[in-house]
Amino acid sequence: MRLFVNGETRDLPDAITIAQLVAREAPGLESGRGVAVAVDAEVIPRSEWHDTTLEPGQTVEVLAAMQGGA
Amino acid sequence: MSEFELGGRRWGSRLIMGTGGFRSLRAMEEAIEASGAEIVTVALRRIDLNASGSVIDSLRRAERFLLPNTAGCYTAHDAVLTARLAREAFDTDWVKLEVIGDDRTLYPDPTELLDAAVTLVADGFVVLPYTNDDPILARRLEEVGCAAVMPLGAPIGSGMGIRNPYNLSIIVERAGVPVICDAGVGTASDAAIAMELGCDGVLMASAIARARDPVKMASAMRSAIEAGRLAYEAGRMPRKLHAEASTPIGGTAEFRAG
């Protein structure tokens, strides 16, 4: 299925969960510490990553800490 | 130097350090150490698998309190969403709220800022807003429940120093929450001036990161903030137009030849 991940079109397995997507996008950061996910501009809490399956056409942002400020 | 309270916690250092602009994570870590800062800001961005090393690991190793910011947000909607994402990522309900009006000045957009502050306070956040040096906006931000107000000294990254000390003084005089001078500091004397005006702290990154020797500048800033705060607590002497001798006149010898 086609998803929009961090501004790019991606072909990913059907019914992929957010936890699986994060493991693919951010290997080594699967624990989720320092990582946040929004699906269609809604925050998905880390506790729901395993049970939330993505649907075709959704827009996903996978964000992580970066140096920043002032 | 007295401790200060921010967001219901007591802090020993009055320097809050941004982590942007450093040449490497190592340079950032060394500068944080030299600055003595206990609170450091971090941003949230699309994950970059090519990044060398993790900023989060680096900061956790340094045992600093992470303050996520909403840098790069232009609307209340985006800032609120970013703050909520940061809460998930960093397990904190603190946020340095930035809602920018345009990319040339990086001045805050006052109405979007206030809207975002209202929403985030209602959502249980400890909201630390980066604001214009406007006493009325500062008062409004305090009234809606922000834990501090953080007026700029000059535009972000400009290094122009404290351009309107009178407005900062008015904000300090009226504020019932801590006032943190956020942005504009270019060198140590700027930080000292902000503190002498009565600010409770100073937030900076570029002044340290873009110095020729960031570690040495971090150390200079630490000293300047301590000196400025001590001077504020000590209370400066009044300014006078004319000289006033500090040595008593009485008992002065009279020298006459022959």
Side-chain angles (χ1 to χ4, degrees), chain B residues 52-134:
Chain B
S52 59
S54 155
V55 67
I56 201 86
D57 291 344
S58 191
L59 294 173
R60 289 232 160 86
R61 208 161 41 235
E63 297 182 332
R64 305 299 148 148
F65 182 86
L66 296 186
L67 175 61
N69 66 28
T70 62
C73 292
Y74 284 79
T75 63
H77 171 269
D78 286 3
V80 167
L81 185 56
T82 301
R84 288 174 177 159
L85 284 162
R87 179 164 62 184
E88 283 300 312
F90 305 120
D91 294 314
T92 180
D93 51 11
W94 287 48
V95 65
K96 179 194 163 184
L97 180 61
E98 289 182 49
V99 191
I100 299 305
D102 73 37
D103 60 8
R104 186 164 167 78
T105 63
L106 297 180
Y107 277 143
D109 182 317
T111 58
E112 294 291 318
L113 180 68
L114 196 59
D115 282 354
V118 167
T119 304
L120 290 171
V121 167
D123 202 5
F125 279 88
V126 174
V127 180
L128 310 176
Y130 161 64
T131 174
N132 310 70
D133 58 357
D134 174 351

Side-chain angles (χ1 to χ4, degrees), chain B residues 224-245:
Chain B
I225 287 173
E226 287 177 9
R229 179 65 194 184
L230 286 171
Y232 173 74
E233 289 176 10
R236 62 153 299 139
M237 65 165 284
R239 289 184 172 87
K240 288 179 196 149
L241 187 58
H242 298 291
E244 183 181 315

Side-chain angles (χ1 to χ4, degrees), chain A residues 25 34 46 61 64 66 68-70, chain B residues 41 43 45-46 49 88-89 205-206:
Chain A
E25 294 298 311
R46 200 180 309 153
E61 294 283 338
M66 210 191 91
Chain B
T41 68
R45 286 290 179 273
R46 285 172 170 170
L49 296 176
E88 283 300 312
S206 304

Side-chain angles (χ1 to χ4, degrees), chain B residues 17 28-37 62 64 215 218 222:
Chain B
M17 215 177 111
M28 178 195 79
E29 280 179 53
E30 287 174 0
I32 290 172
E33 185 62 36
S35 75
R64 305 299 148 148
V215 173
R222 177 184 197 157

Side-chain angles (χ1 to χ4, degrees), chain A residues 21-62:
Chain A
L21 179 72
V22 171
R24 286 172 81 119
E25 294 298 311
L29 295 174
E30 294 93 328
S31 70
R33 288 189 75 79
V35 179
V37 175
V39 177
D40 292 341
E42 291 277 339
V43 182
I44 311 295
R46 200 180 309 153
S47 58
E48 296 173 16
W49 288 1
H50 279 281
D51 299 327
T52 306
T53 52
L54 293 163
E55 288 164 26
Q58 285 188 313
T59 299
V60 186
E61 294 283 338
V62 183

